Amino acid sequence: MQRSPYRHVIWDWNGTLLDDLDLCIDVMNGLLQRRGLPLLDRARYHAVFDFPVRAYYERLGFNFRRDSFEQLSVEFITGYEARRAESRLQPGAREVLAALQRAGVTQSVLSAYRGETLHEIVGHFGLTTFFIRLTGLENIYAHSKTELGRAWVAELGIPGNDILMIGDTLHDLEVAETLGVDCVLVAAGHHSAERLRQRAGRVLDDLHQLRSVPGLAMAV
Ligand SMILES: [Mg+2]
């Protein structure tokens, strides 16, 4: 199917450009272990992880009367930040970002990560110059990216049909639908391919497969 090239790509960060799945599982297992709760493996993580993150914490068995969601969030983020240097970019991330930039496609990041930390980590990997905007939340509680995305798309002034969102969870798809932009999901992050395919039309196994996406094919 022919379609005109996308003019802008909105990237999710965690799980999409950054491969932090095992780090998230490991840090969360520390919280669970300290409370005698069942631990996560990849399969269970893929099944229970979701936004808003608060509901995910409930599914893990945390008792909010004993530890508040806010306390648990701080404990998780503190553990994650201490070890974030262990995470790597997804295979092909740098190449895809560079190819899109060469093709004149502008790019941004829309993340549930705290904005300040997002700037730091994107800089740490030397990717800052690929993006015209990095947008993160103002706090660590990871509610939703929808409102930030709405403001960003309005500011971009590009028709939704010419914007592609690339993410790794069903939340990214929901955000894209709300914003009226196209979406492609890559099953290399925090949701499994099976879970993504229940709702999404286009699910890729890795970033290299973006070459097959109409509207990106010429660029990547
Ligand atoms: Mg993600």
Side-chain angles (χ1 to χ4, degrees), residues 9 14 23 64-65 76 95 99 105 116 155 170 186 196 202 216 219:
V9 170
N14 298 89
L23 177 60
F64 288 157
R65 285 191 302 272
F76 176 80
E95 293 85 341
V105 181
E116 193 184 323
E155 190 182 329
L170 291 175
V186 185
L196 296 178
R202 276 187 296 201
L216 279 185

PDB file of all heavy atoms in Angstrom, residues 9 14 23 64-65 76 95 99 105 116 155 170 186 196 202 216 219:
ATOM      1  N   VAL A   9       8.111  11.597  13.568  1.00  0.00           N
ATOM      2  CA  VAL A   9       7.984  10.384  14.368  1.00  0.00           C
ATOM      3  C   VAL A   9       8.053  10.752  15.845  1.00  0.00           C
ATOM      4  O   VAL A   9       8.981  11.447  16.278  1.00  0.00           O
ATOM      5  CB  VAL A   9       9.094   9.355  14.030  1.00  0.00           C
ATOM      6  CG1 VAL A   9       9.097   8.217  15.048  1.00  0.00           C
ATOM      7  CG2 VAL A   9       8.894   8.795  12.625  1.00  0.00           C
ATOM      8  N   ASN A  14      11.270   4.221  27.065  1.00  0.00           N
ATOM      9  CA  ASN A  14      11.546   2.984  27.806  1.00  0.00           C
ATOM     10  C   ASN A  14      10.947   1.771  27.093  1.00  0.00           C
ATOM     11  O   ASN A  14       9.741   1.708  26.869  1.00  0.00           O
ATOM     12  CB  ASN A  14      10.979   3.068  29.222  1.00  0.00           C
ATOM     13  CG  ASN A  14      11.614   4.186  30.020  1.00  0.00           C
ATOM     14  OD1 ASN A  14      11.131   5.320  29.992  1.00  0.00           O
ATOM     15  ND2 ASN A  14      12.702   3.903  30.682  1.00  0.00           N
ATOM     16  N   LEU A  23      16.167  -4.890  33.445  1.00  0.00           N
ATOM     17  CA  LEU A  23      16.474  -4.014  34.584  1.00  0.00           C
ATOM     18  C   LEU A  23      15.207  -3.737  35.393  1.00  0.00           C
ATOM     19  O   LEU A  23      15.211  -3.808  36.621  1.00  0.00           O
ATOM     20  CB  LEU A  23      17.100  -2.699  34.089  1.00  0.00           C
ATOM     21  CG  LEU A  23      17.410  -1.668  35.166  1.00  0.00           C
ATOM     22  CD1 LEU A  23      18.390  -2.226  36.195  1.00  0.00           C
ATOM     23  CD2 LEU A  23      17.967  -0.393  34.542  1.00  0.00           C
ATOM     24  N   PHE A  64      -1.207  -1.314  49.658  1.00  0.00           N
ATOM     25  CA  PHE A  64      -1.023   0.131  49.748  1.00  0.00           C
ATOM     26  C   PHE A  64      -1.287   0.674  51.159  1.00  0.00           C
ATOM     27  O   PHE A  64      -0.968   1.813  51.458  1.00  0.00           O
ATOM     28  CB  PHE A  64      -1.906   0.864  48.725  1.00  0.00           C
ATOM     29  CG  PHE A  64      -1.436   0.700  47.295  1.00  0.00           C
ATOM     30  CD1 PHE A  64      -2.313   0.869  46.237  1.00  0.00           C
ATOM     31  CD2 PHE A  64      -0.113   0.394  47.009  1.00  0.00           C
ATOM     32  CE1 PHE A  64      -1.888   0.729  44.920  1.00  0.00           C
ATOM     33  CE2 PHE A  64       0.331   0.246  45.698  1.00  0.00           C
ATOM     34  CZ  PHE A  64      -0.566   0.407  44.657  1.00  0.00           C
ATOM     35  N   ARG A  65      -1.899  -0.160  52.015  1.00  0.00           N
ATOM     36  CA  ARG A  65      -2.073   0.285  53.406  1.00  0.00           C
ATOM     37  C   ARG A  65      -0.743   0.179  54.166  1.00  0.00           C
ATOM     38  O   ARG A  65      -0.503   0.882  55.118  1.00  0.00           O
ATOM     39  CB  ARG A  65      -3.140  -0.555  54.102  1.00  0.00           C
ATOM     40  CG  ARG A  65      -4.561  -0.179  53.663  1.00  0.00           C
ATOM     41  CD  ARG A  65      -5.601  -0.835  54.565  1.00  0.00           C
ATOM     42  NE  ARG A  65      -5.482  -2.287  54.568  1.00  0.00           N
ATOM     43  CZ  ARG A  65      -6.094  -3.080  53.692  1.00  0.00           C
ATOM     44  NH1 ARG A  65      -6.872  -2.590  52.776  1.00  0.00           N
ATOM     45  NH2 ARG A  65      -5.933  -4.389  53.742  1.00  0.00           N
ATOM     46  N   PHE A  76      11.256   2.124  43.723  1.00  0.00           N
ATOM     47  CA  PHE A  76      11.558   1.551  42.410  1.00  0.00           C
ATOM     48  C   PHE A  76      12.482   2.471  41.613  1.00  0.00           C
ATOM     49  O   PHE A  76      13.502   2.036  41.079  1.00  0.00           O
ATOM     50  CB  PHE A  76      10.266   1.284  41.624  1.00  0.00           C
ATOM     51  CG  PHE A  76      10.542   0.791  40.226  1.00  0.00           C
ATOM     52  CD1 PHE A  76      10.858  -0.536  39.994  1.00  0.00           C
ATOM     53  CD2 PHE A  76      10.542   1.678  39.155  1.00  0.00           C
ATOM     54  CE1 PHE A  76      11.163  -0.984  38.708  1.00  0.00           C
ATOM     55  CE2 PHE A  76      10.841   1.238  37.871  1.00  0.00           C
ATOM     56  CZ  PHE A  76      11.148  -0.096  37.653  1.00  0.00           C
ATOM     57  N   GLU A  95      20.777   3.504  14.338  1.00  0.00           N
ATOM     58  CA  GLU A  95      20.734   3.487  12.876  1.00  0.00           C
ATOM     59  C   GLU A  95      19.398   4.036  12.353  1.00  0.00           C
ATOM     60  O   GLU A  95      19.363   4.811  11.385  1.00  0.00           O
ATOM     61  CB  GLU A  95      20.930   2.054  12.348  1.00  0.00           C
ATOM     62  CG  GLU A  95      22.318   1.485  12.602  1.00  0.00           C
ATOM     63  CD  GLU A  95      22.463   0.854  13.991  1.00  0.00           C
ATOM     64  OE1 GLU A  95      21.635   1.162  14.879  1.00  0.00           O
ATOM     65  OE2 GLU A  95      23.412   0.078  14.177  1.00  0.00           O
ATOM     66  N   ALA A  99      18.877   7.338  10.121  1.00  0.00           N
ATOM     67  CA  ALA A  99      18.294   7.222   8.779  1.00  0.00           C
ATOM     68  C   ALA A  99      17.096   8.152   8.610  1.00  0.00           C
ATOM     69  O   ALA A  99      16.926   8.794   7.575  1.00  0.00           O
ATOM     70  CB  ALA A  99      17.879   5.774   8.520  1.00  0.00           C
ATOM     71  N   VAL A 105      12.995  13.503   8.224  1.00  0.00           N
ATOM     72  CA  VAL A 105      11.863  13.273   9.127  1.00  0.00           C
ATOM     73  C   VAL A 105      12.261  13.799  10.507  1.00  0.00           C
ATOM     74  O   VAL A 105      13.277  13.375  11.054  1.00  0.00           O
ATOM     75  CB  VAL A 105      11.532  11.768   9.225  1.00  0.00           C
ATOM     76  CG1 VAL A 105      10.352  11.535  10.147  1.00  0.00           C
ATOM     77  CG2 VAL A 105      11.258  11.199   7.842  1.00  0.00           C
ATOM     78  N   GLU A 116      13.280  15.609  33.388  1.00  0.00           N
ATOM     79  CA  GLU A 116      14.682  15.917  33.665  1.00  0.00           C
ATOM     80  C   GLU A 116      15.565  14.680  33.452  1.00  0.00           C
ATOM     81  O   GLU A 116      16.638  14.737  32.856  1.00  0.00           O
ATOM     82  CB  GLU A 116      14.759  16.401  35.114  1.00  0.00           C
ATOM     83  CG  GLU A 116      16.058  17.042  35.493  1.00  0.00           C
ATOM     84  CD  GLU A 116      16.060  17.389  36.990  1.00  0.00           C
ATOM     85  OE1 GLU A 116      15.003  17.793  37.516  1.00  0.00           O
ATOM     86  OE2 GLU A 116      17.116  17.229  37.622  1.00  0.00           O
ATOM     87  N   GLU A 155       1.274  21.780  19.029  1.00  0.00           N
ATOM     88  CA  GLU A 155       2.392  22.691  18.793  1.00  0.00           C
ATOM     89  C   GLU A 155       3.121  22.349  17.487  1.00  0.00           C
ATOM     90  O   GLU A 155       3.570  23.249  16.761  1.00  0.00           O
ATOM     91  CB  GLU A 155       3.367  22.608  19.975  1.00  0.00           C
ATOM     92  CG  GLU A 155       4.441  23.684  19.933  1.00  0.00           C
ATOM     93  CD  GLU A 155       5.424  23.554  21.096  1.00  0.00           C
ATOM     94  OE1 GLU A 155       5.028  23.098  22.176  1.00  0.00           O
ATOM     95  OE2 GLU A 155       6.597  23.914  20.893  1.00  0.00           O
ATOM     96  N   LEU A 170       0.586  -1.229  24.875  1.00  0.00           N
ATOM     97  CA  LEU A 170      -0.764  -0.860  24.447  1.00  0.00           C
ATOM     98  C   LEU A 170      -1.092   0.574  24.850  1.00  0.00           C
ATOM     99  O   LEU A 170      -1.929   1.218  24.222  1.00  0.00           O
ATOM    100  CB  LEU A 170      -1.789  -1.835  25.043  1.00  0.00           C
ATOM    101  CG  LEU A 170      -1.734  -3.257  24.466  1.00  0.00           C
ATOM    102  CD1 LEU A 170      -2.708  -4.177  25.201  1.00  0.00           C
ATOM    103  CD2 LEU A 170      -2.037  -3.248  22.961  1.00  0.00           C
ATOM    104  N   VAL A 186       6.425  -2.107  18.620  1.00  0.00           N
ATOM    105  CA  VAL A 186       7.571  -3.016  18.506  1.00  0.00           C
ATOM    106  C   VAL A 186       7.589  -3.897  19.753  1.00  0.00           C
ATOM    107  O   VAL A 186       7.688  -3.394  20.874  1.00  0.00           O
ATOM    108  CB  VAL A 186       8.888  -2.229  18.382  1.00  0.00           C
ATOM    109  CG1 VAL A 186      10.050  -3.182  18.145  1.00  0.00           C
ATOM    110  CG2 VAL A 186       8.799  -1.203  17.259  1.00  0.00           C
ATOM    111  N   LEU A 196       0.201  -7.431  22.368  1.00  0.00           N
ATOM    112  CA  LEU A 196       0.063  -6.282  21.458  1.00  0.00           C
ATOM    113  C   LEU A 196      -0.855  -6.622  20.295  1.00  0.00           C
ATOM    114  O   LEU A 196      -1.672  -5.804  19.874  1.00  0.00           O
ATOM    115  CB  LEU A 196       1.435  -5.850  20.940  1.00  0.00           C
ATOM    116  CG  LEU A 196       2.420  -5.322  21.991  1.00  0.00           C
ATOM    117  CD1 LEU A 196       3.753  -4.985  21.344  1.00  0.00           C
ATOM    118  CD2 LEU A 196       1.859  -4.102  22.712  1.00  0.00           C
ATOM    119  N   ARG A 202      -0.382  -3.245  13.533  1.00  0.00           N
ATOM    120  CA  ARG A 202       1.010  -3.401  13.116  1.00  0.00           C
ATOM    121  C   ARG A 202       1.902  -3.655  14.326  1.00  0.00           C
ATOM    122  O   ARG A 202       2.098  -2.762  15.150  1.00  0.00           O
ATOM    123  CB  ARG A 202       1.481  -2.144  12.383  1.00  0.00           C
ATOM    124  CG  ARG A 202       1.100  -2.142  10.921  1.00  0.00           C
ATOM    125  CD  ARG A 202       1.729  -0.983  10.210  1.00  0.00           C
ATOM    126  NE  ARG A 202       1.238   0.288  10.732  1.00  0.00           N
ATOM    127  CZ  ARG A 202       1.287   1.432  10.064  1.00  0.00           C
ATOM    128  NH1 ARG A 202       1.819   1.472   8.872  1.00  0.00           N
ATOM    129  NH2 ARG A 202       0.817   2.543  10.584  1.00  0.00           N
ATOM    130  N   LEU A 216       7.549   4.890   5.953  1.00  0.00           N
ATOM    131  CA  LEU A 216       8.908   4.956   6.521  1.00  0.00           C
ATOM    132  C   LEU A 216       9.894   4.217   5.632  1.00  0.00           C
ATOM    133  O   LEU A 216      11.084   4.396   5.743  1.00  0.00           O
ATOM    134  CB  LEU A 216       8.961   4.310   7.906  1.00  0.00           C
ATOM    135  CG  LEU A 216       8.512   5.100   9.108  1.00  0.00           C
ATOM    136  CD1 LEU A 216       8.784   4.283  10.375  1.00  0.00           C
ATOM    137  CD2 LEU A 216       9.236   6.429   9.207  1.00  0.00           C
ATOM    138  N   ALA A 219      12.713   5.975   3.981  1.00  0.00           N
ATOM    139  CA  ALA A 219      13.606   6.726   4.849  1.00  0.00           C
ATOM    140  C   ALA A 219      14.581   5.828   5.613  1.00  0.00           C
ATOM    141  O   ALA A 219      15.719   6.187   5.816  1.00  0.00           O
ATOM    142  CB  ALA A 219      12.790   7.560   5.838  1.00  0.00           C
TER     143      ALA A 219
END
